[in-house]
Amino acid sequence: MSLRHRLVRPANWLRRRLRASEAAFVVLAIGIGGAAGALSVVQGAIARTLQHWFFALPGTSRLSAQPGLSLGTLIVLPIGGAVLALFTLATRARRRAMVDTVEANALHGGRMGIADSFVISGQTILSNGFGASVGLEAAYAQLGGAVASLTGGLLNLRRPDLRNLVGAGAGAAIAAAFGAPLAGAFYAFEIVIGAYTPSAIAPIAAATLSAVLVSQTLGAHPYVVEAASGAATETHHYIAYAALGATCAGIGIVLMRSVASLEQGVRRLRIPDWARPAIGGALLVPIALISPQVLSAGHGALHNDLMAGTSIRFIAMIFICKCLASIVSLGFGFRGGLFFASLFLGTLAGTLFATALTAVAGFQIIDPHNAAIVGMAALGVAVIGGPMTMAMLVLEATHDFGLTGAAIAASLVSSTIVRELFGYSFSTWRLHLRGETIKSARDVGWVKTLTAGRMMRGETRETPTTTTIAEFRRRFPLGSASKVVLIDGKTHYAGIVRTPDAYGEALDPAACVASVAVNTDAALKPDMDIKQVMTAFDASGADELAVLAADRTVLGVLSETYVRRRYAEELEKAQRELFGER
């Protein structure tokens, strides 16, 4: 027996076990979680090592916690931009766009490329390691999801199982980074899977716990938000925290739009791709001279500002500078995300909000420390999404259920306003700018695969428009065909004739059949997905429409009845998968 056959038989047995047994799937998720946790530790260690090398940091200190850096040291920023550009050029062999975890689960059934994921991770580590104002969370989730996708692909898992496994891998990576298994689990549900699926609860919980255990075993220092809550949270405080949530929603929308606007402006300036990160690094230098707190993700700065009594003027200055640094970093081509930056900015916004309320009222309404934590959650939700993700992060950081309730209230207000006025999180907003229409990781890939070209009926019985009604009646007796497609002299589509219409008593038998044609302008393109097809049927009022190539030659015919039946079937199938019917 060949080696291939020896490997295939155990793989087939394992695949059957995973499909039949939820316990076996949980065991697989534990392994994925451990691998994701280990990869997060490695990536974080590499980025911190680069920062210590390039910025000569003492001991185990963080870059954003430094009291000040010289101009000579900050020259690392434009150099890092140039290195990132070289790395990007060296890995630009792929013609297609690289897929992240959210896009993979929304459009591709959880399928991710491992090579692309390593490129994304490398770009993010270089950006963060050279001090750009971006976080590593995107890289953590990318490799965690990629390992899960690769494993699930090798085992040929079903689409819903693969999506759940990718969510488990990404959530486990975030859990390991923050030392927060609950936050990691809800990150998987809200950000990567896009729904709370009963079939995913056990494997995702097991994966996040496994990741945290592995990271702690490896001696990693997670990004725990060490914050003690202040005064007790009372019922009337919720009104103030709701207003803070609304404020953070506005800040988040402005921040995300500013990144996109700067990125588009840089492209309009026709700056070469290789020069953009270097220029961005140079623009970061004067901002970092004001305070190094704007560099990297901001872990050290967040800890210092929460634990130390920092002046309000300094906090306001850091808030503005951190916003500018994040916008410049992402707008000029550094790779990374706004996950931790939004948490850092949220603490600053919460502190400023509480101080402003005190100044207006003449007495303290809400505790500034509590407001900082609630602001962290509210701005995190505005930018990243996931109200329960941020709420669990607050709970695991403070162990204060009252404050967690306030964070949930502010997060829900923030989330509602962002959805209503903006409609996207930062990750889906960038996909929108690329031409995608997804607003979450909810599985819509099946919608995009059901195209008019795949659903159409190939035979069309095409007839020239010059055919007389008498000839048409001879060729198509009543009952032989319900509809006939017409083509002109250049074989281009010219409409559809409903066969009974050609048998009207008032018609001249010598007239051309084109006189009774309908839907001469209404037609479908082969790449239209099923929702676009149904919209076209609604707009035209037709029962059947032709599918046309770019040159208006007829490819096939599609009926509304068939389209709506297929949509109902696929929707029912997706619902069964959502609720875990194995």
Side-chain angles (χ1 to χ4, degrees):
M1 183 181 293
S2 66
L3 177 61
R4 178 184 177 185
H5 285 87
R6 291 176 183 173
L7 294 176
V8 167
R9 184 174 295 176
N12 289 336
W13 176 85
L14 182 57
R15 186 181 304 118
R16 287 194 299 270
R17 288 292 299 164
L18 289 171
R19 289 188 174 189
S21 171
E22 185 173 348
F25 192 75
V26 169
V27 172
L28 175 62
I30 290 173
I32 293 297
L39 285 170
S40 293
V41 172
V42 171
Q43 291 177 93
I46 294 173
R48 287 192 298 273
T49 299
L50 291 177
Q51 290 179 4
H52 277 76
W53 283 351
F54 298 138
F55 294 94
L57 302 181
T60 59
S61 60
R62 302 274 189 181
L63 175 58
S64 59
Q66 300 308 301
L69 294 172
S70 66
L71 180 61
T73 302
L74 292 174
I75 198 66
V76 167
L77 290 166
I79 293 174
V83 173
L84 174 64
L86 290 174
F87 177 82
T88 302
L89 288 173
T91 56
R92 192 167 282 178
R94 295 162 185 77
R95 297 183 182 275
R96 60 182 174 78
M98 292 182 285
V99 176
D100 66 9
T101 52
V102 173
E103 185 181 2
N105 260 11
L107 299 177
H108 307 293
R111 293 180 179 84
M112 300 172 64
I114 192 69
D116 288 350
S117 297
F118 275 116
V119 171
I120 292 174
S121 173
Q123 291 173 331
T124 306
I125 289 173
L126 286 175
S127 298
N128 183 273
F130 278 99
S133 187
V134 294
L136 287 169
E137 291 77 21
Y140 296 153
Q142 184 72 27
L143 282 193
V147 169
S149 181
L150 176 64
T151 305
L154 292 174
L155 294 173
N156 195 25
L157 295 182
R158 294 173 298 185
R159 184 186 185 96
D161 290 337
L162 181 58
R163 292 183 73 253
N164 287 342
L165 196 63
V166 168
I174 296 299
F178 285 90
L182 288 177
F186 278 99
Y187 179 91
F189 286 124
E190 296 182 310
I191 310 299
V192 184
I193 298 176
Y196 298 98
T197 57
S199 62
I201 293 175
I204 286 177
T208 56
L209 289 169
S210 172
V212 172
L213 179 61
V214 167
S215 65
Q216 291 176 349
T217 302
L218 295 176
H221 299 285
Y223 303 148
V224 175
V225 182
E226 298 176 357
S229 57
T233 303
E234 300 181 21
T235 304
H236 65 275
H237 291 159
Y238 279 74
I239 299 174
Y241 288 132
L244 174 56
T247 302
C248 288
I251 294 171
I253 292 172
V254 171
L255 185 62
M256 290 185 282
R257 284 198 175 276
S258 297
V259 171
S261 298
L262 179 60
E263 195 170 20
Q264 292 170 351
V266 170
R267 286 176 180 167
R268 282 195 294 268
L269 291 175
R270 312 238 174 200
I271 300 174
D273 290 349
W274 59 266
R276 291 174 190 171
I279 295 173
L283 293 175
L284 286 175
V285 172
I287 305 175
L289 281 173
I290 298 174
S291 174
Q293 286 200 9
V294 304
L295 298 179
S296 188
H299 304 111
L302 184 147
H303 176 74
N304 286 352
D305 292 346
L306 280 179
M307 302 305 292
T310 310
S311 69
I312 294 301
R313 179 175 297 180
F314 182 77
I315 288 176
M317 178 192 68
I318 294 300
F319 178 82
I320 295 171
C321 290
K322 181 63 177 178
C323 287
L324 289 174
S326 296
I327 292 168
V328 168
S329 296
L330 294 169
F332 276 88
F334 283 100
R335 189 89 189 204
L338 290 173
F339 192 116
F340 203 95
S342 66
L343 301 184
F344 178 33
L345 288 170
T347 62
L348 302 179
T351 304
L352 293 172
F353 182 84
T355 305
L357 275 184
T358 301
V360 171
F363 60 93
Q364 182 173 290
I365 296 178
I366 53 177
D367 185 90
H369 289 90
N370 289 353
I373 298 300
V374 173
M376 176 187 75
L379 190 51
V381 168
V383 175
I384 305 301
M388 291 306 299
T389 302
M390 298 303 164
M392 292 303 102
L393 186 60
V394 169
L395 178 60
E396 291 176 297
T398 65
H399 307 288
D400 187 326
F401 285 94
L403 188 58
T404 300
I408 291 175
S411 296
L412 291 175
V413 170
S414 175
S415 177
T416 301
I417 292 175
V418 171
R419 284 201 312 270
E420 181 69 23
L421 300 181
F422 190 60
Y424 300 90
S425 66
F426 184 64
S427 58
T428 55
W429 171 240
R430 293 175 77 81
L431 291 173
H432 168 73
L433 295 176
R434 215 176 69 195
E436 299 291 350
T437 58
I438 63 173
K439 293 189 176 183
S440 75
R442 189 178 295 273
D443 190 8
V444 296
W446 64 270
V447 173
K448 291 187 173 292
T449 58
L450 280 176
T451 61
R454 293 187 62 181
M455 293 186 292
M456 69 182 184
R457 185 176 70 248
E459 83 282 358
T460 59
R461 308 186 72 173
E462 298 167 1
T463 301
T465 54
T466 55
T467 303
T468 65
I469 289 179
E471 176 64 17
F472 183 89
R473 290 171 177 174
R474 186 187 66 80
R475 293 177 57 185
F476 300 102
L478 282 173
S480 62
S482 61
K483 294 176 179 64
V484 177
V485 176
L486 297 185
I487 56 173
D488 61 19
K490 298 181 180 179
T491 69
H492 294 163
Y493 172 73
I496 292 178
V497 176
R498 293 186 291 246
T499 304
D501 292 347
Y503 283 81
E505 293 182 0
L507 296 178
D508 181 3
C512 291
V513 74
S515 61
V516 294
V518 295
N519 301 322
T520 54
D521 295 322
L524 304 172
K525 297 178 182 178
D527 59 349
M528 294 173 69
D529 65 46
I530 193 168
K531 286 193 174 182
Q532 294 172 322
V533 169
M534 289 192 296
T535 300
F537 275 113
D538 291 338
S540 66
D543 296 326
E544 286 190 324
L545 288 174
V547 182
L548 308 182
D551 60 357
R552 290 191 63 79
T553 56
V554 180
L555 299 176
V557 174
L558 193 55
S559 71
E560 182 183 21
T561 303
Y562 177 75
V563 169
R564 295 198 181 277
R565 186 173 73 248
R566 282 298 307 274
Y567 183 77
E569 290 172 353
E570 292 296 330
L571 189 61
E572 183 182 357
K573 178 182 176 183
Q575 290 296 323
R576 288 200 306 268
E577 293 174 348
L578 178 64
F579 289 100
E581 295 182 15
R582 305 182 71 86

